[in-house]
Amino acid sequence: MSSIALVILAAGKGTRMNSDMPKVLHQIAGAPMLVHAMKAGATLEPERTIVVAGHGFDDVKNAAQAHDPDAQIVLQEEQNGTGHAVKVCRDALAGFEGDVIVLFGDTPFVQPETLETMVTARRDNAVVVLGFEAADPGKYGRLIMDGDNLKEIVEFADASDKQRGVTFCNSGVMLVDGIVLFTLLDALDNNNAQGEIYLTDIVKEARNRGLSATAVSCDEVETLGVNSRAHLAQAEQTFQTRARAMLMEDGVTLVDPATTWLAHDTVIGRDTIVEPHVFFGSDVTVESGVHLRAFSHLEGCHVSRGSVVGPYARLRPGAELSEHTRIGNFVEIKNAEIHEGAKVNHLTYIGDASVGAKSNIGAGTITCNYDGVMKHRTVIGEGAFIGSNTMLVAPVTIGNGAMTASGSVITKNVEDDALALSRTPQENKAGFSRKLFEMLKKKKQKLQKDAD
Ligand code: UD1
Ligand code: MG
């Protein structure tokens, strides 16, 4: 197999999105569409990755390079068509002699197997186009076949009525012999209904030079292009449906798959159970044998085997749960390690902290990590017991086996095995409540009389 360069076209504005943001940066499953397209292309292990950007150049560049720092971003100042967009990659492709695969940044779901089929077809053809049978061919380019040979691609705007009757359509994905690519592109003009340089015209150009072209076909959902917010929502559904099915195949129980929301990079181990309405943001890894209970929200975290999370738990970035931990309802964990067997069961905030193995954090505990300007750490040792409603004012360290009394405000370190008690001593005044009630009732009667 010859080496491959990946070119992703992403310069267009995407007018129908009605957005200040370039279309390709709108997200599906927590990642820009562009990143989905880059991931799809990356399965071919390209030697070079080139993104053609125009509208929102800097933002597109940053997003592309955040995903792949080696990606080259080429500026297409004016969007003069898909052929022109590939032409501006001339310098970025200098010296490259392999095959060039062109993907669109707004067509995020091309499958690795489909790209492989194209690579296979490329053995006997200079140009391979990915087509699909369109339920509604609309304004797609039409693939005009002659047996297995692709004769030409006709854009809707330029097509005759007969050609418009063809339902085999162009997805936009194209694999081309890099040696002839620029010769073909240089021969194109913009003498067409849209006044653009069409990449699709290289098919005819190749045939004119005695080179062969063909089309391989894929399922229409793979070539789903996103042009509007409604398409974006459909693309999200397509992603979710596929990702849920893959997880279940891998041995994860999704009690109600339709309510499990996954991110583009969610990893979940075998025999983990996900109850209804669990949401995964980016960068979550859950090991096997975990129980994620209903209505939990996870992002940027790692949950080790045997742990139980939720219902109604929130794991934020940097939450690192060791094995057999227990995170209960209305608990928020951020940038904190919860060590083996530790329990944080109710109504608690643990942020910028470390909770030692087998420690128990009582209901309503708060790590007061923020002083209004800076964040500070709380370190809790092993086997500690934090009483309910303890305020741990960071920076503060609680020793191994130490205890804090309920309702304490802890501002000083607590040594190993010590009990910290910091609350106003209680005083009981006999008979006082009855007297107080009587006094208050009289006051109320007087107020009512005065009002009448
Ligand atoms: C293109 C194809 C059409 C195909 C359809 C599939 C051509 C001439 N037509 O049409 O056959 O059926 O896609 O969706 O190729 N772009 C640039 N620079 C440009 C123009 C476009 O980067 O100058 C990018 C866009 O951002 C987009 C992609 O190329 O990601 C496709 O452009 P678009 O204008 O949507 O092409 P279509 O008219 O839909
Ligand atoms: Mg389009």
Side-chain angles (χ1 to χ4, degrees), residues 123-296:
R123 287 186 203 140
D124 306 315
N125 296 277
V127 180
V128 180
V129 172
L130 180 62
F132 63 100
E133 274 301 329
D136 170 16
K139 293 190 173 168
Y140 286 117
R142 306 299 206 264
L143 301 184
I144 311 299
M145 303 296 292
D146 176 12
D148 282 343
N149 291 320
L150 175 61
K151 274 170 58 186
E152 62 175 323
I153 306 177
V154 188
E155 287 306 294
F156 178 81
D158 303 282
S160 65
D161 283 348
K162 183 164 176 252
Q163 288 168 328
R164 286 180 180 183
V166 172
T167 52
F168 192 34
C169 291
N170 177 26
S171 70
V173 181
M174 211 183 271
L175 180 63
V176 188
D177 178 352
I179 300 198
V180 297
L181 176 65
F182 285 98
T183 313
L184 299 176
L185 287 171
D186 287 339
L188 304 183
D189 59 36
N190 64 354
N191 193 7
N192 53 51
Q194 299 182 82
E196 290 184 355
I197 299 178
Y198 293 160
L199 177 62
T200 45
D201 280 348
I202 68 169
V203 170
K204 210 172 175 182
E205 208 52 53
R207 302 255 307 168
N208 287 344
R209 285 156 204 263
L211 299 168
S212 64
T214 194
V216 302
S217 100
C218 71
D219 198 274
E220 190 168 359
V221 288
E222 271 187 55
T223 68
L224 184 86
V226 175
N227 294 306
S228 64
R229 306 267 178 169
H231 290 158
L232 186 68
Q234 273 170 26
E236 181 75 45
Q237 283 294 349
T238 302
F239 177 90
Q240 294 297 337
T241 304
R242 187 178 290 162
R244 291 163 185 155
M246 277 164 63
L247 279 179
M248 289 189 280
E249 234 164 78
D250 289 347
V252 178
T253 295
L254 304 182
V255 175
D256 180 10
T259 65
T260 304
W261 284 86
L262 301 160
H264 63 109
D265 58 355
T266 306
V267 177
I268 306 180
R270 251 175 116 220
D271 289 325
T272 279
I273 297 170
V274 183
E275 289 186 5
H277 298 283
V278 175
F279 182 94
F280 295 86
S282 297
D283 193 22
V284 174
T285 313
V286 177
E287 293 185 5
S288 45
V290 168
H291 192 161
L292 299 177
R293 305 204 52 202
F295 297 101
S296 293

Side-chain angles (χ1 to χ4, degrees), residues 9 11-12 76 79-82 85 104 106 140-141 155 170-171 198 200:
L9 306 190
Q76 186 195 21
Q79 282 72 58
N80 295 328
T82 49
F104 291 170
D106 60 357
Y140 286 117
E155 287 306 294
N170 177 26
S171 70
Y198 293 160
T200 45

